[in-house]
Amino acid sequence: MVEGAVEGSVPGAVTLGLLVAWALHDLEELATLPGWWRRNLPALRERYPAVPEAVWRRAGSVDGREFAVAVGAMAAVVASASVAGRLTGGRSAAYQAALNAFGLHGLVHLAQAGLVRGYTPGSATSPLIVVPFTLWARRRLRRAGVLRVTRPRDLAVGLGFAGAATVAAHGVARRLTRG
């Protein structure tokens, strides 16, 4: 048992498994995103003219190195949430919020794939890893009696946190890679 972990808590596969599932998912994104953007940006601009040009310019300016650094920064966030979950036997609000955000993030990837009517980076591992892991982990937390009631507001906060963490990770990456 991890020092400080709560006796009778959920196994490490539930809490630390979040980091493993996230890493597997992000490996797909690391492998596919830069090339996918280069190939698809012109068609996306044409298909979605209402999206501000600044969004397209910013998305198109992220190179593979910057993206990899952003993924590393996000790894620190997910690792922190996973460890908090482990140390509290799954009770950590930060861990449960991160778990919910991870699952919702997978659904966002599936929605993106639907919008573009094809593959988008992250959409392959979302139905195979992200969503199933999230549902499994929530089920284990519920069985252990530690799953917090999830209200719509909690989901919005989780997605907001994930969005803010993503923006911050990309900000850090841009600063580190472009000086």
Side-chain angles (χ1 to χ4, degrees), residues 37 46 48 55-56 60 63 65 71 78 86 90 95 102 109 111 113-114 121-122 142 148 164 170 172 174 176:
W37 266 124
E46 190 175 312
Y48 301 104
V55 172
W56 296 125
D63 63 16
R65 187 168 154 248
V71 167
V78 177
R86 181 68 183 137
Y95 163 73
F102 182 60
H109 276 300
R142 187 177 301 109
R148 296 169 184 266
H170 280 277
V172 165
R174 180 153 287 220
L176 290 174

Side-chain angles (χ1 to χ4, degrees), residues 1-2 6 11 22 25 47 70 73 79 83 99 101 114-115 168 174:
M1 183 160 178
V2 174
V6 177
W22 173 86
H25 170 69
R47 186 182 293 166
V83 169
L99 178 65
L115 282 172
R174 180 153 287 220

Side-chain angles (χ1 to χ4, degrees), residues 104-175:
L104 291 170
H105 167 81
L107 296 178
V108 167
H109 276 300
L110 295 175
Q112 289 170 337
L115 282 172
V116 303
R117 299 180 199 110
Y119 174 81
T120 57
S123 65
T125 52
S126 287
L128 299 174
I129 295 172
V130 177
V131 174
F133 174 81
T134 302
L135 293 173
W136 173 80
R138 286 180 52 81
R139 202 167 29 255
R140 293 298 301 259
L141 293 170
R142 187 177 301 109
R143 273 194 222 135
V146 299
L147 183 64
R148 296 169 184 266
V149 174
T150 307
R151 302 167 303 208
R153 178 183 178 280
D154 300 323
L155 297 176
V157 167
L159 272 180
F161 176 77
T166 300
V167 168
H170 280 277
V172 165
R174 180 153 287 220
R175 241 180 132 71

Side-chain angles (χ1 to χ4, degrees), residues 1-98:
M1 183 160 178
V2 174
E3 187 174 322
V6 177
E7 195 65 47
S9 60
V10 297
V14 173
T15 54
L16 299 177
L18 172 60
L19 179 59
V20 173
W22 173 86
L24 292 170
H25 170 69
D26 267 43
L27 282 173
E28 176 196 359
E29 291 182 332
L30 278 169
T32 60
L33 188 93
W36 187 90
W37 266 124
R38 279 191 303 281
R39 289 187 307 277
N40 290 282
L41 194 57
L44 291 171
R45 272 187 165 124
E46 190 175 312
R47 186 182 293 166
Y48 301 104
V51 173
E53 184 57 30
V55 172
W56 296 125
R57 270 195 312 278
R58 175 67 178 106
S61 73
V62 177
D63 63 16
R65 187 168 154 248
E66 181 181 329
F67 185 68
V69 172
V71 167
M74 187 60 83
V77 173
V78 177
S80 296
S82 295
V83 169
R86 181 68 183 137
L87 293 175
T88 62
R91 290 170 174 79
S92 164
Y95 163 73
Q96 289 191 22

